[in-house]
Amino acid sequence: MAVPVFLFSPRELIRYGLKVSDTMHYQASPKDLVNATLQSGEGMLSDTGALVIKTGKFTGRSPKDRFIVKDDITKDTVNWNDINLPLEAHYFDIIFSHVTGYLNRQPELWVRDCYACADMDYRLNIRIVNEKPWINLFAANMFLQPTEEELEDFSPHWHIFSAPGLQLPYKACGIRQENAVVISFKHKMILIAGTAYTGEIKKAVFSVLNYLLPTEKKVLGMHCAANIGAKDDTALFFGLSGTGKTTLSTSPERKLIGDDEHGWSDEGIFNFEGGCYAKCIGLEEDKEPDIYKAIRYGALAENVGFIEGSNRIDFFDKSITENTRVSYPLHFISNIAEPSKAAAPDNVFFLTCDAYGVLPPVSKLTPEQAMYHFISGYTAKIAGTEAGITEPKVVFSACFGAPFLPLHPAVYTKMLGEKLQKHEANVWLINTGWTGGAYGAGKRIPLRHTRAMIHAALHGELNDAVYSTDKFFGLAVPQSCPGVPYSIINPENTWNDKNAYVQTAKKLAWQFIKNFEQYGNKVPAEIMNGGPVLL
């Protein structure tokens, strides 16, 4: 839908010093945005019609260059740390002047009105102004789109100004280098300069919602996927990158609510977004058919390569980055919930890729354990491809989304605990990582077995199971699970070297305990009882 510039109110943009003219394209259609990108020479079409672009120097987020303006609103509420970096208010004014001045010098600008939050009670209206048509396509894919009637009186709550071609004079701007993402709650504005990585837009809005919704609406923001079954039973899937969040939440027998960002209100679950931003490195049609088929005309593929001599995407090409991505509207997935809302969850899954191979593949958590593992947010990453390096790297990301939490993790953990108790949801810890030994010795738990565990939990097949207690982590482990070999249920039994198992389990348990020390005086004492116990 392309709407002439004069059909939207430019008052705010004029007030912010932006020049409004007929070269400012408002609410351009995906077709127009694709064509404009092709004409500029900044993109090309794949054999399936997806627009393929490169984001330049930055192929991922730059967390050390994201700032929150420290002012009367935020100084005593934001959890200032090495993730939530403060920026003094006068530097915001300087950066704002550079961004608007830069945008005014561009021959064309692209403007989009959209919103976040599928539940209208919590809707956040957003106006995005940027210099690249393909960035505007990303916004069209990822955010919810107003109807023509809604556009007639659309009033933005927040503005996003994106100027990826701008190199900021960093010393004068109070930042460390020429790029920055700046969030100002006073101005209700996000400024993005020096980076074309589109994920910065998505995650900046997520961070804003994770501040506003808990403090103003008592809604829990969550970095998770969600789906709903035939009996209207809702499931949530928390997990960091590489744990299987998108894969396991996409199921032919369940409707997808969303794959990444949700809110949990008194009324239930709702998606923040209108699209998906999926990693596509190693994508195979037979393993993830829904994502594979969604990479078509209207989708935006970032930093992927092509099979030599063709315009067919090579999903195994990581010459630019391993963080290859594709964005597409939610309706590109055939089996979705409309609207993207559901009742409170019956089951909650914490996904972890344990490369140490000592966590059970499936275990049921007590309320205290649920809060402990939520605030811990554990997974492990493989050390890399250098010769001789096989040691996994432990990652603890609070609430499975630390980079996007402006408030202290204890705030979100307390809210989750209250909601789990109120709705009596089952909480499961699922290890999608290694069995039979750590990375380099054991092997990854087959996806079909993980799917069987999820299926069993969702269908109540583990309700009457006989459970044993893991001696290091205190987890309740079912002694059997339909569709899963008995031999892999207990991780100790999968190791040939039992002493190595004990030492590795103790090592991981101590890392949990050490990480939790930072929360000791911020959370109720009983949560500590949900962690590992070492004699």
Side-chain angles (χ1 to χ4, degrees):
M1 175 177 57
V3 181
V5 68
F6 56 81
L7 289 186
F8 84 102
S9 172
R11 288 191 302 272
E12 295 91 345
L13 298 187
I14 294 172
R15 177 163 59 90
Y16 291 140
L18 286 177
K19 298 175 182 178
V20 178
S21 69
D22 58 5
T23 62
M24 182 176 279
H25 305 280
Y26 178 66
Q27 225 68 5
S29 68
K31 180 179 179 181
D32 290 340
L33 295 169
V34 169
N35 288 340
T37 302
L38 296 176
Q39 290 168 10
S40 71
E42 292 190 345
M44 62 182 295
L45 295 181
S46 73
D47 63 331
T48 62
L51 179 63
V52 177
I53 57 90
K54 296 179 181 178
T55 61
K57 177 181 178 180
F58 293 97
T59 59
R61 291 183 304 103
S62 184
K64 295 299 182 183
D65 300 301
R66 193 210 70 163
F67 303 89
I68 298 175
V69 177
K70 191 173 186 178
D71 52 28
D72 290 342
I73 297 174
T74 60
K75 64 180 181 180
D76 296 324
T77 53
V78 167
N79 181 39
W80 303 110
N81 52 28
D82 58 358
I83 294 174
N84 296 317
L85 302 173
L87 184 76
E88 297 303 322
H90 70 280
Y91 286 127
F92 173 85
D93 296 333
I94 296 171
I95 295 172
F96 175 81
S97 178
H98 281 288
V99 170
T100 54
Y102 175 85
L103 291 175
N104 280 334
R105 295 191 297 271
Q106 301 313 300
E108 291 182 291
L109 291 178
W110 307 84
V111 181
R112 178 159 302 278
D113 285 342
C114 48
Y115 65 95
C117 300
D119 190 323
M120 293 297 105
D121 290 338
Y122 308 105
R123 174 169 162 168
L124 186 75
N125 288 354
I126 302 166
R127 177 165 291 167
I128 298 175
V129 182
N130 62 273
E131 65 170 303
K132 302 289 186 183
W134 50 269
I135 291 181
N136 209 260
L137 177 62
F138 174 84
N141 285 345
M142 293 308 302
F143 295 107
L144 294 151
Q145 302 302 304
T147 64
E148 290 189 41
E149 291 75 20
E150 290 171 331
L151 285 171
E152 291 178 3
D153 58 357
F154 187 94
S155 178
H157 304 139
W158 276 68
H159 283 80
I160 301 174
F161 293 164
S162 170
L166 171 62
Q167 302 296 299
L168 292 167
Y170 58 92
K171 291 183 179 180
C173 294
I175 56 179
R176 72 180 189 116
Q177 55 184 28
E178 296 171 332
N179 62 291
V181 177
V182 181
I183 300 172
S184 172
F185 287 93
K186 175 182 178 181
H187 298 89
K188 298 182 178 180
M189 188 175 294
I190 299 167
L191 304 177
I192 300 176
T195 174
Y197 180 65
T198 57
E200 295 281 21
I201 296 174
K202 163 187 161 70
K203 291 306 185 184
V205 172
F206 187 36
S207 299
V208 168
L209 289 169
N210 281 333
Y211 180 92
L212 296 177
L213 290 178
T215 57
E216 297 181 359
K217 304 290 186 179
K218 307 305 178 186
V219 171
L220 173 63
M222 304 177 294
H223 185 211
C224 70
N227 64 25
I228 185 170
K231 296 181 179 179
D232 292 333
D233 59 303
T234 307
L236 303 182
F237 299 80
F238 289 87
L240 301 173
S241 179
T243 60
K245 176 163 57 76
T246 298
T247 300
L248 293 170
S249 63
T250 304
S251 168
E253 62 180 31
R254 298 178 66 84
K255 292 183 178 180
L256 182 68
I257 301 170
D259 79 331
D260 197 47
E261 301 172 5
H262 293 81
W264 188 347
S265 70
D266 289 339
E267 293 75 35
I269 301 299
F270 60 92
N271 194 354
F272 285 169
E273 303 179 295
C276 299
Y277 190 46
K279 289 190 74 170
C280 52
I281 192 71
L283 181 66
E284 295 179 273
E285 183 175 9
D286 60 335
K287 293 182 179 178
E288 298 183 86
D290 290 303
I291 297 175
Y292 192 91
K293 293 174 183 176
I295 305 177
R296 52 188 171 91
Y297 189 86
L300 179 69
E302 301 176 5
N303 302 314
V304 298
F306 291 106
I307 294 174
E308 188 174 355
S310 76
N311 64 338
R312 184 180 177 187
I313 296 174
D314 181 354
F315 292 110
F316 291 86
D317 183 350
K318 53 185 178 182
S319 58
I320 299 175
T321 178
E322 289 195 16
N323 188 38
T324 54
R325 293 275 181 171
V326 60
S327 68
Y328 48 84
L330 196 59
H331 65 78
F332 276 25
I333 300 292
S334 58
N335 195 25
I336 61 172
E338 297 182 282
S340 302
K341 302 192 299 180
D346 302 275
N347 289 280
V348 176
F349 297 94
F350 295 161
L351 309 175
T352 179
C353 177
D354 176 29
Y356 285 92
V358 295
L359 287 181
V362 56
S363 52
K364 191 173 185 179
L365 305 184
T366 66
E368 294 77 19
Q369 288 173 332
M371 296 173 74
Y372 184 97
H373 283 273
F374 182 67
I375 203 169
S376 297
Y378 164 70
T379 194
K381 293 183 178 180
I382 305 310
T385 57
E386 297 178 39
I389 299 180
T390 59
E391 181 72 12
K393 179 182 179 182
V394 168
V395 176
F396 290 106
S397 184
C399 311
F400 298 98
F404 323 117
L405 305 182
L407 308 176
H408 193 279
V411 174
Y412 307 98
T413 302
K414 181 176 183 291
M415 292 183 72
L416 179 74
E418 292 170 348
K419 291 180 181 298
L420 291 175
Q421 182 179 25
K422 178 180 178 180
H423 297 283
E424 299 181 338
N426 296 315
V427 184
W428 309 87
L429 182 65
I430 303 291
N431 175 17
T432 63
W434 266 252
T435 184
Y439 172 77
K443 61 181 180 179
R444 188 124 191 212
I445 297 170
L447 179 59
R448 68 182 185 277
H449 293 157
T450 303
R451 288 193 188 279
M453 298 170 207
I454 300 289
H455 183 277
L458 289 172
H459 289 80
E461 295 172 352
L462 297 179
N463 291 349
D464 298 323
V466 176
Y467 286 83
S468 59
T469 302
D470 180 273
K471 62 184 179 182
F472 293 109
F473 297 91
L475 303 169
V477 183
Q479 293 186 8
S480 64
C481 178
V484 180
Y486 173 79
S487 59
I488 73 166
I489 293 293
N490 184 329
E492 183 174 8
N493 293 340
T494 67
W495 285 60
N496 292 325
D497 187 337
K498 304 304 182 186
N499 183 62
Y501 164 78
V502 169
Q503 297 306 314
T504 305
K506 285 183 176 181
K507 179 179 180 179
L508 180 60
W510 272 119
Q511 292 186 76
F512 266 93
I513 293 168
K514 186 67 176 177
N515 175 72
F516 190 79
E517 289 177 356
Q518 63 185 302
Y519 306 123
N521 62 348
K522 296 287 187 178
V523 299
E526 58 266 24
I527 295 181
M528 187 180 297
N529 297 332
V533 177
L534 293 180
L535 301 178

